[in-house]
Amino acid sequence: GEDVEQSLFLSVREGDSSVINCTYTDSSSTYLYWYKQEPGAGLQLLTYIFSNMDMKQDQRLTVLLNKKDKHLSLRIADTQTGDSAIYFCADEGAGGGNKLTFGTGTQLKVEL
Amino acid sequence: GAGVSQSPSNKVTEKGKDVELRCDPISGHTALYWYRQRLGQGLEFLIYFQGNSAPDKSGLPSDRFSAERTGESVSTLTIQRTQQEDSAVYLCASSLRGQPTDTQYFGPGTRLTVL
């Protein structure tokens, strides 16, 4: 079956850049997503990238996609304490309807 | 307008009991999804509705799990004869049409604990 993997934990200092990595196995995925989950809050879509793109930038967020290696990354520039959260990558599952397959999540801790 | 709401926010039940979890999607959203998040894990897809029909039930873990949606609005996820491994946060999401570029908006979840 499909599999999406992420490292579990990342710690950075405020003001540094954070890079969260994700690998996936489903070569047919046409869209890949990054979600943010803050304590006590629901999942929030941050950004998505279409599979024929290799980069997408949205303010402090940069998504890089290496389709050959099935590797997706999220770079957060000038990381702030408010960016502390769990970040999930997800890909679109097979069969239509846009059901998502999520990774296990990367907990980002931003230290002063 | 209001976002996706779920009730109850927390549910503690005894093994063997049935539970019903409710999801109110964003008004006008035709697609509705149920996911399960076990402690320390990512979300697992359970079932997807387009309108009132469920074209994809592939994620339901067993026949103890069922879901329905009425009036292209509210959905109920029912777990019969609950087991301890059913303990998880159950998340509901809705999107406008179920297209890949339609944002899935998630509710706050129902935390289910089976004793």
Side-chain angles (χ1 to χ4, degrees):
Chain A
E2 300 165 41
D3 197 20
V4 179
E5 294 190 356
Q6 301 176 239
S7 52
L8 292 179
F9 190 76
L10 177 66
S11 179
V12 299
R13 288 193 176 178
E14 189 177 40
D16 287 350
S17 292
S18 309
V19 179
I20 302 170
N21 295 302
C22 171
T23 57
Y24 60 97
T25 58
D26 185 1
S27 57
S28 66
S29 295
T30 51
Y31 288 88
L32 296 119
Y33 307 83
W34 283 104
Y35 280 81
K36 178 182 180 182
Q37 186 176 42
E38 294 179 273
L43 277 164
Q44 174 193 358
L45 177 67
L46 285 178
T47 187
Y48 66 86
I49 188 167
F50 186 49
S51 61
N52 70 351
M53 299 169 65
D54 51 20
M55 187 180 88
K56 180 179 179 181
Q57 187 151 5
D58 183 1
Q59 299 182 334
R60 292 191 297 122
L61 304 179
T62 303
V63 179
L64 295 177
L65 175 61
N66 181 328
K67 197 172 179 184
K68 174 175 170 289
D69 294 340
K70 299 191 187 72
H71 183 267
L72 181 73
S73 67
L74 174 69
R75 179 177 180 270
I76 305 172
D78 186 26
T79 314
Q80 303 297 307
T81 54
D83 295 324
S84 293
I86 301 176
Y87 291 81
F88 292 91
C89 66
D91 73 354
E92 180 194 3
N98 198 34
K99 63 181 193 287
L100 301 178
T101 299
F102 284 83
T104 52
T106 299
Q107 181 159 4
L108 174 65
K109 182 179 178 183
V110 182
E111 298 175 326
L112 296 172
Chain B
V4 177
S5 60
Q6 293 185 245
S7 61
S9 55
N10 278 286
K11 176 73 177 177
V12 180
T13 190
E14 292 179 348
K15 179 181 170 181
K17 301 278 191 185
D18 297 352
V19 295
E20 281 191 355
L21 311 179
R22 178 185 167 112
C23 172
D24 283 88
I26 293 173
S27 177
H29 279 194
T30 63
L32 186 148
Y33 306 81
W34 283 99
Y35 295 89
R36 176 171 72 175
Q37 185 177 24
R38 288 176 160 151
L39 188 64
Q41 298 186 20
L43 280 72
E44 302 169 67
F45 168 79
L46 297 178
I47 188 170
Y48 148 69
F49 287 91
Q50 183 62 261
N52 291 336
S53 64
D56 194 337
K57 304 179 184 179
S58 63
L60 293 177
S62 76
D63 59 7
R64 295 187 296 105
F65 287 71
S66 63
E68 63 176 19
R69 187 180 186 195
T70 56
E72 296 197 353
S73 180
V74 172
S75 175
T76 304
L77 177 69
T78 301
I79 309 173
Q80 295 178 306
R81 304 181 303 281
T82 51
Q83 303 294 311
Q84 287 182 334
E85 66 260 26
D86 299 333
S87 295
V89 176
Y90 289 81
L91 290 162
C92 174
S94 71
S95 74
L96 187 61
R97 299 159 300 167
Q99 298 297 311
T101 51
D102 292 337
T103 299
Q104 287 191 27
Y105 294 90
F106 282 80
T110 294
R111 182 177 297 278
L112 175 65
T113 304
V114 182
L115 301 176

